[in-house]
Amino acid sequence: MPLDAPLPTDAELAILRVLWAHGPSTVREVQDHLDTDQGYTTVLKHLQLMLDKGLVTRDESGRAHVYAPAVQEADTQRRLVDDLLDRAFGGSARQLVMRALSTEDVSRDELDQIRDLLAQIDDDDHDDA
Amino acid sequence: MPLDAPLPTDAELAILRVLWAHGPSTVREVQDHLDTDQGYTTVLKHLQLMLDKGLVTRDESGRAHVYAPAVQEADTQRRLVDDLLDRAFGGSARQLVMRALSTEDVSRDELDQIRDLLAQIDDDDHDDA
DNA sequence: GCTGAAATACGAACTCGTTCGTACCTACTA
DNA sequence: TAGTAGGTACGAACGAGTTCGTATTTCAGC
């Protein structure tokens, strides 16, 4: 198990999201799927730095190197939320959730799903406590 | 109404949190309440930059200037959440909430409060739709 | 009024993230 | 086998954020 990689920067996160969505990719494939219009060598450089940081792995067997995410999406998301929680909410997940839900466009469906999640957490609690 | 201030940086957010919690303060008071051990002039510099950005206002009538937040806590928190939502969750508030709630230490009480919030949102929806 | 403590203003250094130009390498192909 | 398309590696520039040293100002009390 690799020593835990640092949190990705903005540009790195954007690249990770491409890799999470499309699976292992070459530099050019990543570049094509990015929203931004970054130069090829810029994307390449990012991936090289990310390799150093342990955020991605790469397969060098082929003509073009193929990069794959070395960190999980769920894990990274949780760490980012924890980070924001510390920085802006004094650790209060309740407040953060309230703010997230006050972002008007949360559909009825999403609310239902969140309700289900709450119920499930409650069930789990019954086992423990 | 001032043109909306930019999102605060990390250091600026830490200072804003002091101002939100303790109300209008002098540089020294802010410094005293900060977790970090920042030099006096560092805090001063931050507040000066924040003044330029419109993040704080200041009262220069007394010996020491008194700084007050120019942005609301709830507002800033919402914008920070929106920002993270875009960068890491493709805009899905549901996913963000799920990650926030998977941070083990969310108490039973907090869960109840969130449930109440959901119910309230539902009620509001009934009015609209 | 003078002085010193306490505050403010300014500027510079340093780090980190981002971007890209340029050089180099490699393997098809004509 | 020489040329070239398409890849990789490297280094440098730039901006933003952070930090603090130093100079300057201000005012309360002697």
Side-chain angles (χ1 to χ4, degrees):
Chain A
M1 189 128 30
L3 249 345
D4 33 24
L7 276 184
T9 66
D10 269 22
E12 290 167 351
L13 182 56
I15 289 176
L16 277 176
R17 281 170 57 73
V18 169
L19 293 180
W20 286 326
H22 297 89
S25 310
T26 63
V27 174
R28 192 154 302 282
E29 287 165 348
V30 169
Q31 187 194 17
D32 288 344
H33 286 107
L34 280 176
D35 288 342
T36 60
D37 279 349
Q38 294 189 123
Y40 177 88
T41 55
T42 301
V43 179
L44 170 63
K45 181 67 157 190
H46 278 309
L47 283 165
Q48 287 170 341
L49 292 174
M50 292 168 76
L51 181 64
D52 291 342
K53 294 185 183 181
L55 290 171
V56 298
T57 59
R58 79 173 171 193
D59 176 354
E60 310 184 0
S61 61
R63 174 98 165 77
H65 298 173
V66 174
Y67 293 84
V71 294
Q72 292 188 332
E73 179 170 24
D75 226 65
T76 304
Q77 287 177 332
R78 198 179 35 69
R79 293 176 60 202
L80 287 169
V81 169
D82 279 357
D83 180 61
L84 182 60
L85 219 43
D86 281 349
R87 285 189 297 112
F89 292 89
S92 162
R94 188 191 105 258
Q95 269 210 330
L96 184 145
V97 169
M98 285 179 46
R99 296 295 176 236
L101 296 182
S102 74
T103 302
E104 66 262 3
D105 37 43
V106 184
S107 71
R108 175 74 56 111
D109 248 20
E110 288 200 303
L111 292 179
D112 285 343
Q113 286 177 285
I114 292 170
R115 238 182 298 268
D116 288 348
L117 175 68
L118 284 172
Q120 190 175 342
I121 292 178
D122 233 25
D123 288 350
D124 292 351
D125 271 7
H126 276 295
D127 299 342
D128 301 347
Chain B
M1 191 130 24
L3 248 344
D4 33 25
L7 276 185
T9 65
D10 268 22
E12 289 168 352
L13 182 56
I15 289 176
L16 278 176
R17 281 170 56 74
V18 170
L19 293 179
W20 286 326
H22 297 88
S25 310
T26 63
V27 175
R28 193 155 301 281
E29 287 166 348
V30 170
Q31 187 194 17
D32 288 345
H33 286 106
L34 280 175
D35 289 342
T36 59
D37 279 350
Q38 295 190 122
Y40 177 88
T41 55
T42 300
V43 178
L44 169 64
K45 180 67 156 191
H46 279 309
L47 283 166
Q48 287 170 341
L49 292 175
M50 292 168 77
L51 181 64
D52 291 342
K53 293 186 185 180
L55 289 170
V56 299
T57 59
R58 80 174 170 192
D59 175 354
E60 310 184 0
S61 61
R63 174 94 165 77
H65 298 172
V66 173
Y67 292 84
V71 294
Q72 292 188 332
E73 179 171 23
D75 227 65
T76 303
Q77 287 176 332
R78 197 179 35 69
R79 293 177 59 202
L80 287 169
V81 168
D82 279 356
D83 180 61
L84 182 60
L85 220 43
D86 282 349
R87 287 189 296 113
F89 292 89
S92 162
R94 188 191 103 256
Q95 268 211 329
L96 185 146
V97 169
M98 285 180 46
R99 296 294 176 236
L101 296 183
S102 74
T103 301
E104 65 262 3
D105 38 44
V106 183
S107 70
R108 176 75 57 111
D109 249 20
E110 288 200 305
L111 291 179
D112 285 343
Q113 286 178 287
I114 292 170
R115 239 183 298 268
D116 289 349
L117 175 67
L118 284 173
Q120 191 175 340
I121 291 178
D122 233 24
D123 289 349
D124 292 351
D125 271 7
H126 276 295
D127 298 343
D128 300 348

